[in-house]
Every structure is written in structure tokens, then in C-alpha cells.
Amino acid sequence: MSLRRILCIAAHPDDIEFTVAGSVAGWTSEGREITFCLATTGSAGTNEHTPSSEGLIPIRERESREAARILGVQDVIFLGHQDGVVEPTIALRRDLTRVIRRCRPDVVVCGDPTVRYYGNQYLNHPDHRAVASAALDAVFPSSETRAIFPELLTEGLEPHKVKEVWITGAIPPDAWIDIGDTLGRSARRSRRTSRRWARASGSTISWGWAVRDGKHAGVKHAEAFRRMVLWDGP
Ligand SMILES: [Zn+2]
């Protein structure tokens, strides 16, 4: 099977569920190996726990593992950066490069760092942009270049060349995955701490996205990507 290993990188614990859960469920049922990498703790995901959001972190982590399990994903990596104030620093890029060299994925899935807003109602979260930016920089040139982050070599992490990048939320997308079969397995329902928000907007929004993207793909429900083929090797 080509493109067997897929690494999904996101800023927040629930980002993957809202963007690529249907595709992930399809990939795991095809026998692909999926890893989730979540850059932040998710501690700023709700105002209900402020000013002390510490108690939220283990809840988020537990939910993320449960959501991953429902989608057939065993491997969830938490980088533990502070939610809400992420910047595309060299430290973050190094963390993501380390994850890429460890997982050695054929495909990296991440957000679009160039999108500042969607339509007239949604400002893209700065964490989404920061993590997506660092992720793309980690894919190229950091993960494949020996001289970048030599400290990773001392950890035994040799360079790795990612074959494809699938960018979610890209404007415009150019690839679509039909998620009609897998939509019912979406892990959104398991996320208790964002349930109120999901009830108010999330489920409607993500369902609307799937319908909108499905129209482009000529199917009922789809998830949209910009697909970049960096290397067509073995
Ligand atoms: Zn998010």
C-alpha cells in the first residue's frame, strides 16, 4: 500500500475531529497507520474553567485518546504547548520535526497557515496558523535536512522525506475525500467539554462543511484538502 503512514498535526485537541475525522476513519479502515500530534494542551478551549484551566488538561487528553480510539487511531502525541498563545517558533518546529522523524510518515496532514479568515464570520485561530506554519516548515526543509537540528541526530532521529502534504481548510482546495461511509463514526460526540459549543455551532458548521465540500466533489459529504506531492518516490 502506498501512503501507508499518515501524521495529522493540529493545534487543539478537537481540531482534527472538526476537519478530517471522516477521512481518518476511512484511512484506518483501509489499514493505514495514523498518528495524531496535538500541539497544545487545549486548556483554553472553554471559558467555563477559567481562571484555573489546569483541570481541563487531563480531560482534554482523555477525550483526545477516546476520540482517536473511536477513529481507529492508537497513537496520540501531545506536545504540551500553551493553548491560545502559540507562535511558529524554532522550538515548535523542532518539536514537530522530532515527531516527523520518529513517525516517518508518507503523508502529513495539517492546516493552512496562510488563511487569516473564512468568509465573513470566522477568523482563523492564531494557534491554527502558527502550528500549520511550523508544521510545513518541519516537513520542508527541517525533517529531511541533516544539518537542521543536529541535536535530533544525537537522539537517533535520522532525516526523513515526507511524500505528500494534505492541507485542510485551504482556499481553494483541490482534492476531496468522500466521507459518506464514515461520517456516522465521527468522534465529535465524545467531546464533553466542548459539547455546549458543538451544540451551538460546531456540529452544524462541520456538517455544513461536509455538505458544501461534497457538492464540489459530486458526493453527499466530503472533506476538502489542498494536496501537495513533494516526492513521488518508493
Ligand atoms: Zn482549534
Side-chain angles (χ1 to χ4, degrees), residues 11-12 14-15 122 125 128:
H12 306 121
D14 53 3
D15 290 345
Y122 181 69
H125 196 293
H128 297 169

Side-chain angles (χ1 to χ4, degrees), residues 19 33 42 46 53 99 142 150 160 177 197 200 202 228-229:
T19 53
E33 298 162 24
T46 168
S53 59
V99 171
S142 303
H160 172 72
I177 292 179
W197 182 84
M228 304 202 60
V229 180

Side-chain angles (χ1 to χ4, degrees), residues 68-84:
R69 193 190 58 75
I70 291 169
L71 294 171
V73 176
Q74 307 297 330
D75 196 14
V76 187
I77 297 168
F78 300 90
L79 296 183
H81 289 254
Q82 192 184 342
D83 190 359

Side-chain angles (χ1 to χ4, degrees), residues 22-232:
S23 303
V24 167
W27 290 331
T28 55
S29 68
E30 291 166 359
R32 297 180 206 276
E33 298 162 24
I34 316 294
T35 299
F36 287 170
C37 174
L38 305 172
T40 76
T41 59
S43 63
T46 168
N47 280 336
E48 288 174 22
H49 288 68
T50 52
S52 172
S53 59
E54 287 304 305
L56 191 56
I57 294 173
I59 297 173
R60 286 288 196 191
E61 197 168 313
R62 204 165 52 240
E63 287 178 348
S64 296
R65 290 193 192 284
E66 172 66 7
R69 193 190 58 75
I70 291 169
L71 294 171
V73 176
Q74 307 297 330
D75 196 14
V76 187
I77 297 168
F78 300 90
L79 296 183
H81 289 254
Q82 192 184 342
D83 190 359
V85 292
V86 182
E87 290 192 67
T89 59
I90 293 298
L92 177 58
R93 198 208 298 182
R94 184 190 297 108
D95 283 352
L96 292 170
T97 302
R98 179 182 286 111
V99 171
I100 291 171
R101 289 195 189 180
R102 263 197 199 135
C103 298
R104 310 190 81 72
D106 300 305
V107 181
V108 167
V109 178
C110 66
D112 186 335
T114 69
V115 177
R116 189 68 182 79
Y117 46 78
Y118 293 93
N120 300 97
Q121 289 184 310
Y122 181 69
L123 294 172
N124 196 11
H125 196 293
D127 289 357
H128 297 169
R129 288 183 281 124
V131 171
S133 183
L136 292 180
D137 292 345
V139 167
F140 178 84
S142 303
S143 66
E144 65 177 59
T145 306
R146 181 168 287 274
I148 302 177
F149 303 133
E151 60 272 37
L152 297 182
L153 296 176
T154 63
E155 294 177 25
L157 298 171
E158 291 292 318
H160 172 72
K161 209 169 169 65
V162 174
K163 290 180 180 170
E164 299 196 10
V165 178
W166 289 57
I167 297 174
T168 65
I171 300 176
D174 60 12
W176 289 266
I177 292 179
D178 182 349
I179 59 166
D181 288 345
T182 56
L183 203 57
R185 281 202 281 149
S186 164
R188 288 168 199 129
R189 287 163 294 169
S190 74
R191 192 155 291 279
R192 281 186 295 275
T193 47
S194 57
R195 188 171 24 180
R196 186 173 297 174
W197 182 84
R199 226 184 359 244
S201 59
S203 54
T204 310
I205 286 175
S206 53
W207 195 269
W209 288 342
V211 171
R212 178 203 61 196
D213 293 333
K215 275 189 188 138
H216 286 279
V219 297
K220 214 167 177 188
H221 301 100
E223 285 168 349
F225 302 84
R226 179 177 180 85
R227 181 184 181 189
M228 304 202 60
V229 180
L230 308 179
W231 181 50
D232 199 11

